[in-house]
Amino acid sequence: MKIRILAGAVALVSSVALSGCGYLPGTGTDSSTVTVWLMKGSASQSFLDSFKESYEAEHPSIELEFVLQEWGGIGPKVLKALEGDDAPDVIEVGNTQVAQYAESGELRDLTLESMRDLGGEDWLPGLAEPGRVNGGQYGIPWYAANRVVIYNKDLFAQAGITELPRTREEWVDISERLNTDGRQGIYLAGQNWYVLAGFIWDEGGELADDTGGDWEGTLDSPAALRGMDFYKTLQALGDGPKDADEQTPPETDVFAEGDVAQIISVPGSAALIEQRNPELKGKLGYFPIPGKSAKKPGAVFTGGSDLIVPEGADQRSEGIDVVKALAGEQWQTELARAMSYVPNKPALAGVVEGQEGTSAMAEGATEGRATPNSPYWPAVEADNPIKPYMTAVLEGGDPAEEAKQASESITSKLITG
């Protein structure tokens, strides 16, 4: 699925207009058209133009046709395409959507290609794991994005903070120091459940667990409860609403007012903040969400996209070759630099060196995770029981009892869809 924090509040990338392609002049031979569905905003027109020109020059018998799709309603549209007679040859999908598409039985298993040609053992786990279903690799990681801490450099300087936190303990300490004199140490809405997920993973817990083929909600495990307890500690160091998520009101708007020291969001939020308050331009910094120790950053939800190939595609083998190119080192490097994304392998993180926000994001991505890899997980998010659970705990409810009720609701949804 696409990263939820991008919806509504954050524009990681600009919208693009994708165009179709005609026959290559002067080849004297017929060409095969490879149709690629890409999501709106995933790649700039200049990147696509460059990729098309290079790829078609190296493959004279291939024409690339990019077709722009909207995220809204994409699930049913992809499923219909997979079951029809005119499926595209390559489809970009949200990383956590792969399981529901694989369940249809209409995806090509790309395990061989991932191991033989793409070095799949080195991919970011938050992209690779959701694409792996029942032992097969059906989704090939394309790009990633995740949350970091965005901070106000002026407010840090005024509080005498000269070193960024690397552990949870240090993070809470500086947030307490910042949460005074009319300032908010951190603005964290009460229902930002993706942030909670990272804290739960840090503690060794899960949102839900696969117990021999049957998924069960596990918010009531001791580890998950510890994650919620840390969330409650951090959330109290600001004035974030306990009964709303990060979009109500948009956290970027709140941060732009100038009295909030930190928010947890993707680096692309900075553009929205500076647009609303130009005086903050050049005054925003970034660091990975701190972990329990300084040895590694905190766990984060990895959003982004995988590439899939329909089993019934007319140009299936040609489509696989296009996927190999898009997921390979050359075009991963070009895409990361053009779009400020995290590449699909930690070893490529250096290609965004010098981009402060993206570099922080890439560091955090090494501890990236994804939501439970059940085809029914979208049903959980559609009527998400995690959000009211968080509010209930923040407003004084018994954590164990509230977590048990939420877990039972998650289990029910993962059984019936």
Side-chain angles (χ1 to χ4, degrees):
M1 76 170 124
K2 73 170 179 177
I3 189 168
R4 288 324 192 260
I5 46 178
L6 302 185
V10 180
L12 271 180
V13 295
S14 59
S15 298
V16 297
L18 306 181
S19 59
C21 315
Y23 284 98
L24 287 172
T27 62
T29 60
D30 291 336
S31 298
S32 297
T33 300
V34 176
T35 302
V36 182
W37 282 11
L38 295 181
M39 303 309 300
K40 181 180 179 181
S42 287
S44 66
Q45 186 65 50
S46 61
F47 172 86
L48 293 170
D49 289 344
S50 179
F51 179 79
K52 169 182 164 56
E53 180 180 1
S54 175
Y55 193 85
E56 291 182 347
E58 294 177 6
H59 304 79
S61 64
I62 297 297
E63 301 172 16
L64 295 180
E65 180 183 20
F66 296 110
V67 181
L68 179 66
Q69 303 292 339
E70 298 281 352
W71 281 111
I74 191 59
K77 188 170 186 177
V78 170
L79 288 171
K80 183 178 180 180
L82 293 176
E83 296 168 358
D85 298 326
D86 191 27
D89 304 298
V90 179
I91 307 175
E92 175 197 350
V93 300
N95 59 324
T96 58
Q97 292 175 332
V98 177
Q100 65 174 315
Y101 300 141
E103 189 184 35
S104 71
E106 301 294 339
L107 294 191
R108 180 69 172 178
D109 186 343
L110 301 172
T111 302
L112 176 62
E113 290 80 5
S114 68
M115 297 175 62
R116 182 189 63 197
D117 305 317
L118 293 170
E121 67 276 5
D122 299 323
W123 284 329
L124 289 170
L127 287 182
E129 290 173 2
R132 192 176 302 123
V133 182
N134 296 327
Q137 191 73 43
Y138 293 91
I140 301 299
W142 193 27
Y143 66 82
N146 51 266
R147 291 166 177 80
V148 299
V149 181
I150 303 177
Y151 71 97
N152 185 316
K153 292 181 178 180
D154 281 354
L155 296 186
F156 269 53
Q158 291 169 18
I161 298 169
T162 58
E163 293 187 10
L164 298 176
R166 298 187 61 200
T167 68
R168 280 189 183 181
E169 185 178 2
E170 293 172 354
W171 193 19
V172 169
D173 178 64
I174 69 161
S175 298
E176 288 176 340
R177 291 166 57 188
L178 289 160
N179 192 43
T180 185
D181 297 331
R183 297 189 301 255
Q184 295 187 55
I186 185 168
Y187 180 87
L188 181 58
Q191 296 182 351
N192 197 330
W193 71 276
Y194 281 113
V195 172
L196 171 64
F199 298 159
I200 289 174
W201 293 329
D202 269 344
E203 296 289 348
E206 300 288 346
L207 301 176
D209 204 4
D210 184 359
T211 56
D214 296 321
W215 285 90
E216 295 182 354
T218 53
L219 293 176
D220 54 339
S221 72
L225 289 170
R226 290 195 300 270
M228 183 65 222
D229 185 63
F230 179 72
Y231 191 100
K232 184 175 182 179
T233 296
L234 196 64
Q235 201 271 339
L237 301 177
D239 297 330
K242 294 179 173 60
D243 59 351
D245 63 21
E246 63 273 24
Q247 302 300 327
T248 314
E251 61 185 356
T252 51
D253 290 357
V254 177
F255 189 92
E257 293 175 5
D259 60 357
V260 171
Q262 306 169 88
I263 57 171
I264 303 171
S265 190
V266 293
S269 292
L272 297 179
I273 294 167
E274 292 170 355
Q275 181 180 8
R276 192 168 184 87
N277 184 356
E279 293 184 2
L280 290 177
K281 192 166 186 177
K283 298 180 179 180
L284 304 181
Y286 315 83
F287 58 87
I289 294 174
K292 296 187 71 175
S293 78
K295 294 180 180 180
K296 61 182 182 180
V300 289
F301 168 72
T302 299
S305 287
D306 282 13
L307 300 170
I308 61 174
V309 175
E311 188 69 68
D314 290 337
Q315 309 296 335
R316 191 179 65 198
S317 62
E318 292 84 352
I320 292 173
D321 286 339
V322 171
V323 169
K324 291 178 186 177
L326 286 169
E329 182 174 344
Q330 176 187 351
W331 293 102
Q332 280 291 293
T333 298
E334 295 294 333
L335 184 68
R337 289 173 174 167
M339 309 304 296
S340 296
Y341 287 146
V342 177
N344 60 15
K345 293 181 179 179
L348 296 176
V351 303
V352 293
E353 187 175 352
Q355 300 179 18
E356 184 182 356
T358 309
S359 294
M361 189 165 60
E363 183 178 348
T366 61
E367 297 300 318
R369 296 280 302 275
T371 49
N373 203 18
S374 163
Y376 297 125
W377 184 256
V380 175
E381 294 193 24
D383 185 22
N384 197 331
I386 305 175
K387 289 186 172 185
Y389 153 65
M390 297 173 70
T391 294
V393 173
L394 294 175
E395 290 182 343
D398 179 74
E401 182 59 34
E402 298 294 344
K404 181 180 179 180
Q405 293 180 24
S407 295
E408 290 173 350
S409 179
I410 291 173
T411 300
S412 176
K413 293 175 186 296
L414 291 178
I415 293 174
T416 62

